Amino acid sequence: MILLPLQVSVQFHARVWGGQRLKPTTKPEIPIGEAWLIHELNTVQSGVFAGRSLKALALEFGSDLLGTNYKASRFPLLIKLLDCADWLSIQVHPNDLQAVQLEGVGQLGKTEAWHLLEVDAGAKLIAGVKNGISQVVLETAIRSGNVQDVAQFEAVQSGDTVMMHAGTMHALGPGMLLYEVQQTSDITYRVYDWDRPASAGRALHLEQSVAVTTTSAAKAQHEPVFSSGAVVLTTCPYFVLEKLKNTTKAVPDGSSFHTITLTKGSAMLECAGMTMQLQPYDSIIIPATSPAYSLQGNFEALRSSVPAA
């Protein structure tokens, strides 16, 4: 069945470390840290599927929406924006097997990638563990609250991309606005929370962290230079992340849906006679069976999809 592009509602989430760039609020004590642009519980904004969730559409249309590369009927990716005004907790996520073992049947692990959109001078993040740290030393540091001593801090800049595999300890620092693509999972094991009060929603998960954290590290990759079209920023078994610039055309082949988030400028989406004007941070889903589409204008955007197994 041919399906046309979809635009869905956005979910905003307050976070203790959040800022004012995603959704300014008159209550600064409740800062918005995350905008969930595309998630299985987001609902379609208009058209014949208005009000229906991506979860429901995935169940009904299966590979017509998701593509043949993904062998389940659950929408597999979560696309976010994060506005970091303070340090996020030092944390880690399980892989798929560990998620089932620790959290139950049906749970997914969480591998993610970040593309940094706006970065203040001097901003840093944590991307794994220092070279030479053993698993025993790492586990001791987690249990004793001294993970900062073994963490790999890395300076970053706008345009950098970081692939963060499950099991890699990490934290985002203040002064960043970024795009995140990840598996559809919200399992986070908090290793250290910068001595914030341990409220019910921000408990530490030390033994789970010990069980899943590896001594791996990640490196930021600088954005390639190109003038138009599409280039791959990073890829893994769960997703491919591409950067788009200016005029871009694509013909979905049924293997995967595409998600597109505009990050700069403006663009006109054209697909089978329908048009849609996109502004920064507008996001759309191109179903796997969609006809050919094009983006016209002076813009930058990020596109995510599911690769072949």
Side-chain angles (χ1 to χ4, degrees), residues 89-90 142 145 189-194 198-199 202-209:
S89 63
I90 301 177
I142 291 172
Y189 295 141
R190 201 169 286 110
V191 182
Y192 176 71
D193 202 23
W194 310 100
S199 62
R202 298 196 64 84
L204 299 182
H205 311 93
L206 299 185
E207 292 309 310
Q208 296 98 319
S209 298

Side-chain angles (χ1 to χ4, degrees), residues 116 119-125 154-158 160 162 176 220 222:
L116 305 180
V119 179
D120 294 348
K124 294 182 178 181
L125 52 78
E154 183 161 353
V156 289
Q157 61 188 25
S158 298
D160 283 353
V162 185
M176 302 181 197
H222 299 317

Side-chain angles (χ1 to χ4, degrees), residues 74-226:
R74 181 179 183 183
F75 198 84
L77 299 181
L78 168 54
I79 310 296
K80 301 178 181 179
L81 295 177
L82 289 85
D83 179 12
C84 310
D86 198 355
W87 277 100
L88 279 68
S89 63
I90 301 177
Q91 58 191 244
V92 67
H93 310 296
N95 61 31
D96 289 342
L97 178 60
Q98 293 164 336
V100 172
Q101 292 173 336
L102 294 170
E103 304 295 334
V105 175
Q107 296 296 323
L108 296 176
K110 184 175 172 182
T111 286
E112 61 194 8
W114 307 322
H115 184 71
L116 305 180
L117 302 172
E118 300 175 14
V119 179
D120 294 348
K124 294 182 178 181
L125 52 78
I126 290 173
V129 175
K130 292 177 182 176
N131 188 40
I133 298 296
S134 71
Q135 192 70 34
V136 171
V137 169
L138 173 59
E139 292 176 4
T140 299
I142 291 172
R143 290 191 172 106
S144 63
N146 295 315
V147 290
Q148 291 166 275
D149 297 337
V150 301
Q152 178 65 51
F153 287 79
E154 183 161 353
V156 289
Q157 61 188 25
S158 298
D160 283 353
T161 300
V162 185
M163 172 64 74
M164 197 62 60
H165 292 282
T168 305
M169 190 174 73
H170 59 274
L172 292 162
M176 302 181 197
L177 177 68
L178 63 133
Y179 169 103
E180 177 179 294
V181 53
Q182 60 161 89
Q183 292 176 261
T184 299
S185 171
D186 203 29
I187 301 174
T188 294
Y189 295 141
R190 201 169 286 110
V191 182
Y192 176 71
D193 202 23
W194 310 100
D195 297 325
R196 294 183 181 111
S199 62
R202 298 196 64 84
L204 299 182
H205 311 93
L206 299 185
E207 292 309 310
Q208 296 98 319
S209 298
V210 166
V212 307
T213 307
T214 68
T215 57
S216 59
K219 294 293 292 183
Q221 304 296 320
H222 299 317
E223 184 176 294
V225 177
F226 71 109

Side-chain angles (χ1 to χ4, degrees), residues 49 87 104 107 162 165 197 238 246 253 279 290 302 309:
F49 301 126
W87 277 100
Q107 296 296 323
V162 185
H165 292 282
Y238 302 104
N246 304 324
D253 62 3
Q279 301 298 331
S290 168
L302 295 168

